[in-house]
Amino acid sequence: MWGYQQKVAKDLERWRSAGWIDEAGARAIRADVASRGRGIGLPGALAILAAVLIGFAVMSFVAANWQDMSRVFRLGLLTGLLCAAYVLAAAMFRRGLDTFGHAAVLAGCAIFGADIMLVSQMYHMDGNAPDVVLVWAAGTLLAGVLIRSNPALAFALVLFSVWGLWETGQRDAVYWPYLVPWALVSAAFYWQRWEPGVHLSGLALTGFILTYGQIHHAVGGFETVTLIGVVIGALSALGLVLRPGLAAVWRGGILYGFFITFSGLFALQFFKNPNLSAFLVLAVLALALTLAAVWWGLTADDRRALWLGYLGFSLQILWIYGKTVGSLMGSSVFFLSAGFVVAGLAYFAYRLHARREAQEVVS
């Protein structure tokens, strides 16, 4: 949003200089953009951090004094703390302090988790340990949906991811049921039209896909990861053309498609030990992908893709150097080749930037 605000400010100055809008109109547009771009701010961020700390404080206090309390008092204390958190949240929402209300909801979700764990301990409930996190995550998701709390939904995704990783570790195999709650939380993010949540879902799915590749690396896991990344990127690019109204989703898909594809190609080069011919083909494809990411970042004004391309290119070059120097080519030849590639990239970026500036002047 910050980048968008800067672009609007530059456009407004140009439009005002051209006489297309007056100063009053420019002020109105700036005010509207600023009102839509407000995030949680420092007070809200501190309130959410305080909610997390309070949740851990409740867990620690109750656990430390658990043996000195009667069962009735324990249940009453846990229930009272949970109700108090949501009553406080309702009061904050009524007063228009939404960020503090969301912080109170988050504290309630943390207390709910403490309730589950301490009650199961009190009644000596045995079973599959990750199920406790699953119940906690489900309750947090319910609270996030009913109250329409984005922080609670984000917390639910974190808890579901912990549950999925725990189950994966126990089985030493990909835990496919994780995709069900992932899809539910992602749908909630879309329902809320919360772009950071879309990226959280993208990160979670990316981690799941990369975990699949690592677990099945001996039977085509990295190849599958590469193919999945290509499919995600291609479908997202197609969706951006056919359904531009979901641009935030498609742009995120393109970004994570780049990352997943590069991760697969990188693993195939440096973790699978291919022969020289295959290595060269994979290296060229990976470098071409990073250049494509840079191109997309420049043309679509997506700084995340731009920096992903730069970082991927640098990482690729460094690892190629470590693998090939002294065996495939000398150091000087290697760096000379890389220098020509980077120089070409710089020239391409310059030409593209100059063309965009010329188009803006004409328009």
Side-chain angles (χ1 to χ4, degrees):
M1 188 66 188
W2 173 244
Y4 172 71
Q5 289 178 343
Q6 289 182 314
K7 185 177 186 304
V8 169
K10 293 179 181 178
D11 288 340
L12 284 176
E13 185 63 29
R14 180 165 54 85
W15 297 337
R16 192 177 63 82
S17 300
W20 297 340
I21 59 174
D22 56 17
E23 183 58 33
R27 284 198 301 270
I29 293 174
R30 290 192 193 97
D32 180 71
V33 172
S35 66
R36 295 172 182 273
R38 290 194 187 107
I40 61 175
L42 180 60
L46 293 176
I48 290 176
L49 289 175
V52 174
L53 292 173
I54 290 171
F56 280 109
V58 169
M59 296 181 198
S60 301
F61 174 79
V62 175
N65 297 275
W66 197 244
Q67 300 301 326
D68 301 327
M69 303 176 187
S70 66
R71 287 192 173 185
V72 175
F73 184 76
R74 294 172 186 174
L75 292 175
L77 177 62
L78 295 175
T79 304
L81 289 171
L82 183 62
C83 292
Y86 287 107
V87 169
L88 177 62
M92 293 294 102
F93 286 129
R94 278 199 303 270
R95 295 183 59 184
L97 301 173
D98 289 0
T99 301
F100 293 94
H102 291 304
V105 172
L106 200 59
C109 294
I111 294 171
F112 174 66
D115 290 358
I116 296 172
M117 290 183 284
L118 294 173
V119 168
S120 62
Q121 178 187 9
M122 183 169 60
Y123 289 100
H124 305 289
M125 297 178 181
D126 296 325
N128 186 32
D131 290 345
V132 175
V133 181
L134 176 61
V135 175
W136 186 4
T140 302
L141 174 60
L142 181 62
V145 171
L146 293 179
I147 305 174
R148 304 196 68 166
S149 173
N150 292 330
L153 291 175
F155 188 35
L157 182 60
V158 171
L159 291 173
F160 279 124
S161 298
V162 171
W163 165 70
L165 287 172
W166 200 343
E167 292 282 7
T168 298
Q170 286 187 344
R171 291 168 168 76
D172 195 24
V174 176
Y175 192 63
W176 295 102
Y178 167 76
L179 293 178
V180 175
W182 173 85
L184 293 175
V185 179
S186 299
F189 284 143
Y190 173 73
W191 175 56
Q192 285 283 85
R193 297 296 193 272
W194 193 42
E195 186 172 350
V198 174
H199 286 292
L200 286 175
S201 294
L203 286 172
L205 183 60
T206 298
F208 179 84
I209 293 171
L210 296 183
T211 300
Y212 172 88
Q214 180 60 37
I215 291 176
H216 297 285
H217 67 276
V219 288
F222 295 143
E223 291 85 350
T224 303
V225 166
T226 305
L227 179 60
I228 291 174
V230 171
V231 171
I232 290 175
L235 291 179
S236 299
L238 183 62
L240 189 60
V241 174
L242 299 180
R243 295 289 301 276
L246 301 177
V249 176
W250 304 131
R251 288 167 69 96
I254 292 173
L255 184 68
Y256 296 113
F258 275 134
F259 182 80
I260 293 170
T261 305
F262 178 78
S263 298
L265 290 173
F266 189 85
L268 287 172
Q269 292 173 79
F270 303 109
F271 301 152
K272 292 283 286 185
N273 295 319
N275 59 47
L276 180 58
S277 299
F279 172 79
L280 290 175
V281 171
L282 292 169
V284 169
L285 290 175
L287 288 173
L289 181 68
T290 61
L291 298 183
V294 172
W295 172 82
W296 170 253
L298 291 171
T299 56
D301 196 22
D302 190 333
R303 293 186 178 182
R304 293 164 302 189
L306 183 64
W307 284 109
L308 178 63
Y310 284 143
L311 290 173
F313 184 87
S314 302
L315 184 65
Q316 179 72 19
I317 290 295
L318 287 173
W319 278 70
I320 290 176
Y321 172 73
K323 187 178 180 66
T324 62
V325 66
S327 58
L328 178 62
M329 62 183 73
S331 300
S332 58
V333 176
F334 172 82
F335 282 117
L336 181 63
S337 302
F340 279 125
V341 173
V342 174
L345 177 62
Y347 177 75
F348 167 77
Y350 169 76
R351 294 290 297 175
L352 183 62
H353 181 69
R355 186 188 309 168
R356 291 182 60 188
E357 284 190 341
Q359 291 175 347
E360 288 179 357
V361 171
V362 172
S363 61

